[in-house]
Amino acid sequence: KTTKELKDLKVLLVEDNLINQKITLLTLKPLVYSIETASNGKEALDKFGTANYDLILMDIQMPVMSGLTAAEKIRALESTTNSHIPIIAITANAMIGDKEKCLSAGIDDYISKPFQPAALIEKIKKNI
Ligand code: MN
């Protein structure tokens, strides 16, 4: 694992709620190299296939395809290339069992909504 710096990161933010999307964008845009968005798991999967991201922030509850399913599919794709992109889940609540579901879908870490910007940045630093 190579440790990257925040300012060099190409981030994919996957979030169906436009307000949440905007808040996270405003927080991260000044700090990272680039940040793109997807509105559901299917879109995330399509973008993952066409660009080289360093990190994915993944909402769990989304229409079309959930974050858990998208993470599983990304891990399946990666298994053929022996690569591993850090995926941090953004969970709507701190429900018991969420952590287990995230981990078994191949998600590396998670943060519960609502979160402080500093907490998100710390999570990202820990996982890159
Ligand atoms: Mn959602």
Side-chain angles (χ1 to χ4, degrees):
K1 185 187 165 185
T2 54
T3 303
K4 293 195 166 105
E5 287 190 59
L6 205 58
K7 67 175 174 52
D8 297 324
L9 288 188
K10 288 180 250 171
V11 179
L12 179 62
L13 168 65
V14 192
E15 167 68 73
D16 65 309
N17 180 297
L18 288 181
I19 292 169
N20 290 343
Q21 205 183 86
K22 196 163 241 177
I23 291 168
T24 306
L25 268 178
L26 285 172
T27 302
L28 291 180
K29 211 166 199 171
L31 303 174
V32 299
Y33 180 79
S34 68
I35 180 163
E36 293 181 22
T37 56
S39 299
N40 61 63
K42 171 75 168 58
E43 254 186 58
L45 207 56
D46 291 344
K47 288 204 158 185
F48 174 77
T50 57
N52 272 320
Y53 299 106
D54 300 303
L55 174 81
I56 298 178
L57 298 174
M58 184 83 85
D59 183 25
I60 295 300
Q61 292 182 310
M62 294 182 287
V64 187
M65 185 189 288
S66 76
L68 291 177
T69 304
E72 281 170 3
K73 289 183 184 290
I74 286 167
R75 292 303 180 225
L77 289 170
E78 285 181 334
S79 67
T80 61
T81 58
N82 235 341
S83 53
H84 184 101
I85 188 169
I87 302 178
I88 301 174
I90 301 168
T91 60
N93 45 43
M95 261 173 55
I96 307 229
D98 270 13
K99 188 183 179 183
E100 284 305 307
K101 278 187 216 159
C102 286
L103 294 179
S104 68
I107 286 167
D108 298 292
D109 206 345
Y110 71 102
I111 185 166
S112 299
K113 285 189 272 194
F115 50 78
Q116 296 296 318
L120 177 63
I121 290 158
E122 276 315 299
K123 269 292 178 206
I124 291 172
K125 283 183 178 169
K126 206 182 109 191
N127 283 280
I128 56 174

